[in-house]
C-alpha cells in the first residue's frame, strides 16, 4: 500500500512539471535569452515539485487494488510459515526422544531389609544344639528351649553366620564342616590354645594374606559363639566341656564323606 501511494505522488508531480513545460512553450517571453528562460523554467519546475503535496489515497484508488493478488500473497506467506513450523515438530520430537533415551531410568526404591532366615536350622535335631553337657539327660522341653536360644545367638556378620549354620548342618548330618573350620579346629585341638596370629599364619600357607586374616577373625568369633573355645581378647582356649568339639573329633576320626562349604 505504501509503494502505491509513493508511485501516485511521483506520477502527479511528473504531470505538473509536463503541464508547466507546455505552458511555457505557448508563452511569448520577449527580452529573455535562452539561458535565462531555461534557468527560470528549471526553478519553477523544482519549486513546483517541492511544494506539491503528495496526493492522498482515495476510496477509488483502493477499489483499483487487486484484492485477489493480495490475498494470494498472504496465503502463500502463511503456507511457508506453516511448512517451517511443521518441519520443526519432527526435529524437536526426535530430539526429545533422543534426550529421553540418554537419561538414565530412575532406580526403583530398594526394599526394606529383612532378617536372614537360618539355612534349614529349624529342621535340625535339637540335640545338635547342645553346646555343653549331655543331651541325653535333657528333657524335650529343655532341648527345644536350648535350640531356640542357640539359634537366637546367630552371629550378625554374614560370613560368620554362614559358618555357624553350616557347622550345625554338618554336625546333624555327621559330615565334615568347611575346610577353614576343620583346619582351625585341628590346630586348636592339638595346641589347646591359639592366638589370632597362629590361625592367620596357618592359613597363609595355603591362602593369600587378606583371605588368611579374614578367615582367622571369623574363626575366632565362631569358636567362641559355639563354645568350642573360650576367648580372651586375641586368644582362644579349647573348652574341654564342649559337646561340639567332641562331636567334631568323632567325625574327623571316621573316613571323610563330604566337606562343607
Amino acid at each position: 500500500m505504501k509503494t502505491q501511494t509513493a508511485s501516485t505522488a511521483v506520477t502527479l508531480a511528473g504531470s505538473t512539471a509536463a503541464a508547466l513545460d507546455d505552458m511555457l512553450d505557448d508563452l511569448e517571453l520577449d527580452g529573455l535569452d535562452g539561458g535565462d528562460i531555461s534557468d527560470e523554467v528549471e526553478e519553477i519546475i523544482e519549486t513546483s515539485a517541492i511544494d506539491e503535496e503528495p496526493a492522498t489515497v482515495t476510496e477509488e484508488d483502493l477499489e483499483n487494488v487487486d484484492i485477489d493478488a493480495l490475498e494470494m500473497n498472504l496465503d502463500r506467506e502463511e503456507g511457508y510459515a506453516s511448512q517451517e513450523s511443521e518441519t520443526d515438530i519432527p526435529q524437536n520430537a526426535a530430539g526429545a526422544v533422543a534426550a529421553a533415551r540418554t537419561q538414565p531410568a530412575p532406580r526403583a526404591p530398594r526394599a526394606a531389609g529383612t532378617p536372614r532366615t537360618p539355612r534349614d536350622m529349624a529342621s535340625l535335631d535339637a540335640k545338635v544344639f547342645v553346646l555343653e553337657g549331655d543331651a541325653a539327660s535333657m528333657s524335650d522341653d529343655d532341648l527345644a528351649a536350648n535350640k531356640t536360644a542357640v539359634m537366637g545367638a546367630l552371629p550378625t556378620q554374614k560370613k560368620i553366620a554362614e559358618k555357624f549354620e553350616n557347622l550345625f548342618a554338618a554336625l546333624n548330618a555327621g559330615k565334615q564342616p568347611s575346610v577353614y573350620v576343620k583346619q582351625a579346629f585341628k590346630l586348636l585341638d592339638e595346641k589347646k590354645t591359639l592366638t589370632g596370629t597362629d590361625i592367620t599364619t596357618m592359613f597363609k600357607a595355603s591362602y593369600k594374606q587378606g583371605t588368611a586374616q579374614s578367615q582367622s577373625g571369623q574363626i575366632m568369633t565362631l569358636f567362641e559363639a559355639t563354645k568350642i573355645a573360650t576367648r580372651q581378647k586375641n586368644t582362644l582356649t579349647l573348652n574341654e566341656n564342649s559337646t561340639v568339639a567332641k562331636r567334631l573329633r568323632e567325625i574327623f576320626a571316621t573316613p571323610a564323606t563330604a566337606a562343607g562349604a
Side-chain angles (χ1 to χ4, degrees):
M1 186 66 69
K2 292 180 179 179
T3 304
Q4 184 177 1
T5 302
S7 176
T8 303
V10 172
T11 303
L12 292 175
S15 299
T16 303
L20 288 174
D21 286 339
D22 293 339
M23 291 173 61
L24 290 174
D25 289 340
D26 294 338
L27 293 174
E28 293 181 359
L29 301 176
D30 297 333
L32 296 177
D33 56 26
D36 294 336
I37 293 174
S38 176
D39 292 339
E40 290 190 8
V41 171
E42 290 179 1
E43 182 178 356
I44 292 171
I45 294 173
E46 292 174 359
T47 303
S48 298
I50 295 173
D51 293 341
E52 188 72 30
E53 295 181 358
T56 58
V57 179
T58 65
E59 293 182 0
E60 183 179 358
D61 293 331
L62 293 174
E63 291 177 356
N64 294 331
V65 175
D66 191 347
I67 300 301
D68 292 338
L70 289 175
E71 291 180 350
M72 291 178 63
N73 290 334
L74 291 174
D75 291 341
R76 187 180 299 110
E77 292 177 359
E78 291 178 358
Y80 290 152
S82 65
Q83 289 178 2
E84 292 177 356
S85 176
E86 291 174 358
T87 302
D88 291 341
I89 291 174
Q91 293 177 350
N92 294 336
V97 172
R101 288 178 177 176
T102 57
Q103 294 180 356
R107 294 183 178 180
R110 297 182 62 183
T114 55
R116 294 177 66 254
T117 302
R119 189 178 306 174
D120 298 327
M121 290 182 67
S123 63
L124 302 181
D125 188 347
K127 294 180 180 179
V128 173
F129 294 93
V130 176
L131 305 182
E132 292 180 309
D134 185 6
S137 63
M138 299 173 65
S139 66
D140 292 341
D141 291 341
D142 290 340
L143 288 172
N146 177 75
K147 178 179 178 179
T148 300
V150 173
M151 289 175 58
L154 178 73
T156 57
Q157 187 175 339
K158 181 180 178 181
K159 293 297 184 180
I160 301 175
E162 289 177 353
K163 283 181 170 61
F164 188 92
E165 294 168 350
N166 290 338
L167 174 60
F168 285 105
L171 294 174
N172 187 76
K175 297 181 179 180
Q176 296 190 11
S178 70
V179 63
Y180 299 111
V181 172
K182 177 181 178 180
Q183 292 177 357
F185 176 76
K186 284 188 171 183
L187 184 63
L188 175 63
D189 197 31
E190 177 186 348
K191 293 189 173 183
K192 310 304 180 185
T193 300
L194 289 178
T195 64
T197 303
D198 294 332
I199 300 173
T200 301
T201 301
M202 176 189 64
F203 285 146
K204 282 175 63 177
S206 304
Y207 311 105
K208 293 182 179 180
Q209 175 80 16
T211 301
Q213 291 178 339
S214 176
Q215 292 296 330
S216 175
Q218 293 173 26
I219 290 296
M220 296 278 289
T221 302
L222 176 67
F223 282 7
E224 180 184 17
T226 55
K227 295 187 178 182
I228 292 176
T230 57
R231 181 175 180 178
Q232 291 292 329
K233 295 183 179 180
N234 197 40
T235 301
L236 288 178
T237 301
L238 180 66
N239 179 10
E240 298 295 344
N241 297 321
S242 172
T243 304
V244 176
K246 179 181 179 181
R247 182 67 179 135
L248 286 174
R249 293 188 193 98
E250 293 173 354
I251 292 174
F252 295 149
T254 60
T257 56

